[in-house]
Amino acid sequence: MAAGAPRVFVSHLSGISVFDPNGDQVGRVRDLVAMLRVGRRPPRLLGLVVELATRRRIFLPMTRVTGIESGQVITTGVLNVRRFEQRPTERLVLGEMLDRRVHLVETGEEVTVLDVSVQQLPARRDWEIDRIFVRKGKAGTFRRKGETLTVDWGAVDGFSLEEHGQGAENLLATFEQLRPADLANVLHHLSPKRRAEVAAALDDDRLADVLEELPEDDQIEILGKLKEERAADVLEAMDPDDAADLLAELPEEDKERLLTLMQPADAADVRRLMAYEERTAGGLMTTEPIVLRPDATVADALARVRMEDLSPALAAQVYVCRPPDETPTGKYLGTVHFQRLLRDPPYTLVGSIIDDDLQPLAPGADLPTVAGFFAAYDMVAAPVVDEGGSLLGAVTVDDVLDHMLPDDWRETEFHLEEEAADHGGG
């Protein structure tokens, strides 16, 4: 950015692409790193936290930034791909400054930080935080109308203090378009205090989706900081197989207490899954596939497939069964694949187009058997049927991969550092 250019508000930088001089994308901005200074001097902006395609987070010094414009960051092309580690003197602008409650120096009035702006100093490559956009009012009034104003950094006090009960609404707003896996990655890199605050601010469904993507230790930590009634609600919103995996890691008394607080039907599904060995088809399956009776039509099936809360794997096929429709069902008759639904007229009965050639999985089938089934038949989901012929659930390919990868795979990026280094140095 040229000297004298207008200021940039940091909320506009979250998630924007970072390019090298050749126009190749190297990653996305996930946060900014600032260093507080003595007195009321504006903090110096040290650099950006950039997430590479490998999901590794690196530090990009502001001295390597040659331009911030048109929703993109341009770098010199020289990147150090060593993992970013925050130092004690550093502050994450998005993660730790937004939503913070501070005080106006002149009046002592409490205000909430909605955004901050950064600006490059004239004739230098240094950057600093120069202004703060705040809303007047006490904590917890984010959704109410209140006077907003932009003030100089020196006009507020309170950033150097450790704050309890910091909100998270504005931080979440900067990440609202992220997929659950990406938001989980954001949470994983926050401090435990901030992680708990963000989790408390998420609604049950969003938190459930994010928990499913977090490492086991983070899942247990977040669940343990929720009130028990809310923890039960979040478990209900999770896929039953993921909820069962999480509960299995808790002490027996905590597990039983949460199951008791859950809705009986949801708790029953989870208890049923926990009865199977973890690395079997029964332990891997979800109990909520699309189940239709044979007299349902293709139009009925497509309406179910279009439900937005279904994963792509579960939406890839429907399972045709005799009543009852809930798992465990009546007699399993066969599967209808999504492509077949697209080829047949809407009034066609699904019972007339079922694929019954493939043998379903038994609940006791071990992980290698399940993986071999998926590989041999190019499947993304497979039915699990008991000895009596009832459909118990469906295993999806993502759950198979979850259990075939190393236990810490969510915390480990794909090992492409050499390629990233070569690309960054281009």
Side-chain angles (χ1 to χ4, degrees), residues 333 340 400:
L333 301 177
R340 181 63 190 269
V400 176

Side-chain angles (χ1 to χ4, degrees), residues 62-191:
M62 293 307 295
T63 54
R64 300 292 186 186
V65 174
T66 59
I68 300 177
E69 53 192 0
S70 303
Q72 61 186 17
V73 173
I74 307 298
T75 76
T76 60
V78 179
L79 295 179
N80 184 335
V81 297
R82 186 173 62 245
R83 188 193 307 274
F84 167 68
E85 294 184 4
Q86 185 179 356
R87 298 173 180 174
T89 57
E90 296 173 347
R91 296 292 182 272
L92 296 177
V93 179
L94 294 175
E96 298 176 341
M97 289 187 176
L98 296 195
D99 304 296
R100 193 172 186 89
R101 296 193 300 276
V102 295
H103 295 85
L104 297 176
V105 173
E106 186 175 347
T107 64
E109 185 175 2
E110 185 179 74
V111 294
T112 301
V113 178
L114 304 182
D115 210 342
V116 301
S117 68
V118 296
Q119 191 169 37
Q120 189 174 18
L121 299 180
R124 297 168 59 187
R125 302 192 72 178
D126 286 344
W127 294 68
E128 65 181 21
I129 296 176
D130 65 336
R131 309 207 77 187
I132 309 170
F133 181 53
V134 300
R135 183 191 300 277
K136 292 185 176 181
K138 295 183 178 179
T141 60
F142 172 75
R143 297 188 181 277
R144 302 176 190 172
K145 292 184 178 180
E147 181 185 354
T148 58
L149 63 157
T150 302
V151 298
D152 291 333
W153 173 266
V156 299
D157 190 16
F159 277 101
S160 61
L161 302 176
E162 180 69 18
E163 181 177 343
H164 300 282
Q166 183 177 352
E169 293 90 347
N170 295 298
L171 173 60
L172 290 176
T174 66
F175 298 127
E176 63 182 0
Q177 302 302 321
L178 292 182
R179 293 176 180 269
D182 295 325
L183 182 53
N185 196 35
V186 171
L187 259 67
H188 177 67
H189 289 87
L190 294 177
S191 67

Side-chain angles (χ1 to χ4, degrees), residues 184-185 187-188 210-216 218-219 222 410:
N185 196 35
L187 259 67
H188 177 67
V210 171
L211 277 180
E212 292 171 3
E213 304 295 338
L214 280 168
E216 182 180 288
D218 288 345
Q219 290 181 328
I222 290 173
R410 295 185 188 278

